[in-house]
Amino acid sequence: MSDKVNILGINVDMAGIEEAADRIMEFFDEDRLHKVYTPNSEIIMSAYKNEEFRNLLNDADLLTADGIGVVYASKILGKPISERAAGFDIACDVLGRITRTPHSLFLFGGKPGVAETAKKKLEEKYIGIHIVGTHNGYFKPEDEQGIADEINRSGADLLFVCLGAPKQEEWIARNADKLRHVRVAMGIGGSLDVFAGTAERAPEFYCKHGLEWFYRLKKEPWRAKRMAALPKFAMTVMLKGRSFRQDQ
Ligand code: UDP
């Protein structure tokens, strides 16, 4: 049995939060950049329909289930993932492990000022963390090389890319070869907003019971259209999911 579940053509690791953080710590010991993505059902659905994006996701070194929809899909397919492993939770676990170590972090993404505030808040929370640079997530294509250069100059070996999906995964894939010191690049969506305090995470009750989507819908009703994709995703997994081989 492989430790991945093939959900509509996307090979999702069956790793929970702690196991994902363990893997990331191992990635630091290997002399190359590792890509970590955490797709939710909406992202998996768009990768199902788009071969190029599907290949890009499958090229990740670690792909965890961010969202209860993906966890349910794994159950439907008979290879249940034990828990939702959201990018934010994995990031917090890794941050806890790299305080007072030589590892260093670059924060990339969010509106102007958000990454700087996140840096300040993280330095207060994780005493001894080395955050060596920040850059906001609103840039022109011609700025891209400059951003990669800035990340290289910082010497960071851990990079949080928070541009939302699929922008962040595409940015990492496009720039991976330019980043000289980064060993782990994680696409973790709106996490900088949560670290900075400009957005709230759902209370634990909602997260524990697989209801974070409901909390976000209450807070951000404009997400309704995006969320309507969830029942369609569940239906597609039920109808087509078993036609994907699980043994590769
Ligand atoms: N963002 C960005 N550049 C862009 C578009 C979005 O930096 O061109 C940031 C945005 O400010 C927000 C994050 O990306 O902080 C996306 O958050 P969202 O909650 O939509 O992403 P999700 O976690 O749902 O993927």
Side-chain angles (χ1 to χ4, degrees), residues 40 42-43 66 108-111 114 136-139 162-165 167-168 188-193 216 220 223 226:
N40 58 18
E42 192 191 339
I43 300 305
D66 186 348
F108 172 35
K111 298 205 175 98
V114 168
N136 77 69
Y138 294 83
F139 54 91
C162 303
L163 308 174
K167 255 189 194 161
Q168 57 202 15
I188 53 171
S191 297
L192 289 185
D193 294 306
R216 286 191 95 175
E220 304 164 333
R223 286 183 181 267
R226 276 175 61 176

Side-chain angles (χ1 to χ4, degrees), residues 184-199:
V184 179
M186 299 176 64
I188 53 171
S191 297
L192 289 185
D193 294 306
V194 182
F195 289 135
T198 50

